[in-house]
Amino acid sequence: MDLEAISAKIRAFRDEREWAQFHNPKDMAIAISIEASELLEHFLWKSPEELDARISEKREEIEEEIADIGIYLTELADNLGIDLLAAMEKKIEKNALKYPAQRVKGSSKKYNEYSDESEGGEP
Ligand SMILES: [Mg+2]
């Protein structure tokens, strides 16, 4: 199933329930944040060593939270007339300029934490 087909399915699900009236951009953004928090809850207080076991034990529930985020995100983009795949592709290209591989490889620093003498674009 591609993004257009899943968008149509989400729209049909929403419209059958007459929920479009509640799905304004603010509440959709809040819903995305709440679902992201539900995902985070699975990892709360877990040490790095405990994470793999947690993911195995709760895989289905974690998958559902990821799906919830994806559903709300897809609907929000659809409602706003944003082509989600094109927007993601554009942002990846922007991130590639912000984080040139030769400059940031193996580092988790933010783009503005690299020193000026490093290769690549300016921070
Ligand atoms: Mg959820």
Side-chain angles (χ1 to χ4, degrees):
M1 187 175 280
D2 63 14
L3 189 63
E4 188 49 48
I6 201 78
S7 259
K9 203 163 188 164
I10 293 166
R11 234 179 284 130
F13 177 92
R14 177 199 64 202
D15 293 345
E16 282 167 10
R17 290 157 183 79
E18 298 184 353
W19 285 352
Q21 61 184 312
F22 306 117
H23 289 197
N24 63 68
K26 172 188 66 80
D27 288 316
M28 295 300 293
I30 290 170
I32 291 166
S33 181
I34 289 170
E35 296 301 341
S37 295
E38 289 176 3
L39 175 62
L40 276 173
E41 200 171 11
H42 285 287
F43 307 125
L44 182 66
W45 312 126
K46 301 293 179 239
S47 69
E49 297 75 28
E50 293 170 318
L51 286 177
D52 286 345
R54 178 69 178 182
I55 291 166
S56 294
E57 286 163 23
K58 299 287 183 179
R59 184 159 194 90
E60 195 173 329
E61 291 171 48
I62 290 167
E63 186 178 308
E64 286 185 1
E65 299 309 345
I66 289 171
D68 284 338
I69 296 164
I71 290 166
Y72 281 133
L73 184 67
T74 301
E75 187 189 337
L76 178 59
D78 186 40
N79 292 351
L80 296 177
I82 291 169
D83 179 333
L84 183 57
L85 293 182
M88 289 169 64
E89 191 175 13
K90 199 166 132 187
K91 191 59 168 67
I92 290 166
E93 286 167 10
K94 195 172 176 181
N95 289 345
L97 294 174
K98 200 185 239 181
Y99 296 96
Q102 74 275 15
R103 186 178 190 197
V104 305
K105 192 174 282 187
S107 170
S108 61
K109 287 182 186 173
K110 196 172 176 182
Y111 67 90
N112 59 2
E113 294 174 324
Y114 290 94
S115 61
D116 289 341
E117 68 269 9
S118 299
E119 289 180 27
E122 59 183 51

